[in-house]
């Protein structure tokens, strides 16, 4: 099954719920790509020997990799970590995540500052562009195993919103303005 993404409703319900609007409307991978979000569907059972993953890593320069098992039983300060992941932020570099097991949500802001929820399941690899506002949470399964990829040594620094004057955010807004042919306002 392909990646699922949708505009979120504005509810204050449990962040681990899907938070679909009514009626439910799925977004296309092409729409995500317009925002700079890239997607591949891979075989998570063969990640150690997957030539397609190897090709993606080579072409994009992802030379560093580690694993994150995120669940209450495996992470100290689990609630605090999840709270930090769910705080809206940007990074100076791409954020590359490959789901090997479990599931969770990456939320990203669209050009109109609306939340898009991306449901990651095994086999989904996404790349979030530098400068896009985003956050992460688990779904109700409370478990995900992610491969994290980086160009060079990883930089973990999140820049919490607001960051409209940050150079990488300005560059991202400029790229959206070019793609959509309209002035994108920093929110």
């Amino acid at each position: 099954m392909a990646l699922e993404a949708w505009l979120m409703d504005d509810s204050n319900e449990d962040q681990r719920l899907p938070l679909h609007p009514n009626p439910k409307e799925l977004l296309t991978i092409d729409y995500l790509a317009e925002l700079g979000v890239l997607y591949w569907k891979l075989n998570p059972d063969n990640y150690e020997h997957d030539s397609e993953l190897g090709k993606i890593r080579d072409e994009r320069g992802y030379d560093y990799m580690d694993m994150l098992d995120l669940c209450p039983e495996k992470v100290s300060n689990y609630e605090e970590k999840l709270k930090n992941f769910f705080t809206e932020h940007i990074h100076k570099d791409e954020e590359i995540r490959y789901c090997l097991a479990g599931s969770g949500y990456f939320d990203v802001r669209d050009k109109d500052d609306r939340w898009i929820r991306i449901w990651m399941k095994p086999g989904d690899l996404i790349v979030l562009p530098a400068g896009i506002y985003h956050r992460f949470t688990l779904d109700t399964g409370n478990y995900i195993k992610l491969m994290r990829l980086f160009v060079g040594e990883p930089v973990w620094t999140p820049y919490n919103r607001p960051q409209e004057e940050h150079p990488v955010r300005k560059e991202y807004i400029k790229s959206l303005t070019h793609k959509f042919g309209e002035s994108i306002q920093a929110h």
Side-chain angles (χ1 to χ4, degrees):
M1 176 178 263
L3 186 75
E4 290 183 51
W6 55 88
L7 287 173
M8 292 177 61
D9 71 15
D10 293 329
S11 119
N12 290 322
E13 290 186 69
D14 183 343
Q15 70 192 37
R16 298 170 311 133
L17 295 174
L19 304 177
H20 285 287
N22 189 6
K24 179 178 173 181
E25 181 182 340
L26 295 180
L27 301 174
T28 66
I29 291 172
D30 289 339
Y31 182 74
L32 294 176
E34 288 178 354
L35 300 175
V37 177
L38 305 178
Y39 171 72
W40 289 266
K41 183 68 171 182
L42 302 174
N43 179 358
D45 298 327
N46 187 36
Y47 72 89
E48 293 177 289
H49 307 289
D50 187 342
S51 61
E52 188 174 358
L53 176 60
K55 180 180 174 191
I56 293 165
R57 290 184 68 180
D58 289 345
E59 287 176 355
R60 299 187 64 82
Y62 302 148
D63 55 357
Y64 181 95
M65 179 269 296
D66 71 5
M67 300 289 189
L68 174 65
D69 266 330
L70 187 57
C71 64
E73 300 79 24
K74 295 187 178 186
V75 176
S76 59
N77 301 320
Y78 169 78
E79 292 296 332
E80 181 181 328
K81 286 222 192 291
L82 207 55
K83 182 181 174 188
N84 289 340
F85 290 155
F86 199 64
T87 300
E88 186 174 2
H89 62 280
I90 64 173
H91 294 287
K92 291 182 358 182
D93 300 306
E94 292 178 332
E95 184 159 330
I96 307 100
R97 300 294 183 264
Y98 179 19
C99 181
L100 300 175
S103 51
Y105 300 116
F106 273 94
D107 300 334
V108 298
R109 291 282 188 180
D110 75 358
K111 67 182 185 69
D112 297 316
D113 207 40
R114 299 173 299 180
W115 280 118
I116 294 173
R117 177 146 279 192
I118 302 170
W119 192 11
M120 294 213 37
K121 294 176 266 186
D124 293 336
L125 185 150
I126 64 170
V127 177
L128 304 181
I132 193 171
Y133 281 121
H134 66 281
R135 61 190 184 186
F136 174 80
T137 190
L138 292 172
D139 61 16
T140 55
N142 282 324
Y143 174 71
I144 196 166
K145 180 176 184 176
L146 292 170
M147 176 186 289
R148 302 183 293 189
L149 299 166
F150 298 89
V151 175
E153 288 297 311
V155 177
W156 304 104
T157 308
Y159 297 91
N160 293 345
R161 191 170 190 174
Q163 289 296 323
E164 302 318 314
E165 297 305 313
H166 194 291
V168 75
R169 178 68 184 165
K170 286 183 172 183
E171 189 61 32
Y172 177 69
I173 293 296
K174 183 178 171 183
S175 75
L176 288 182
T177 299
H178 178 74
K179 286 179 189 174
F180 288 98
E182 59 189 75
S183 178
I184 306 296
Q185 299 299 312
H187 297 274

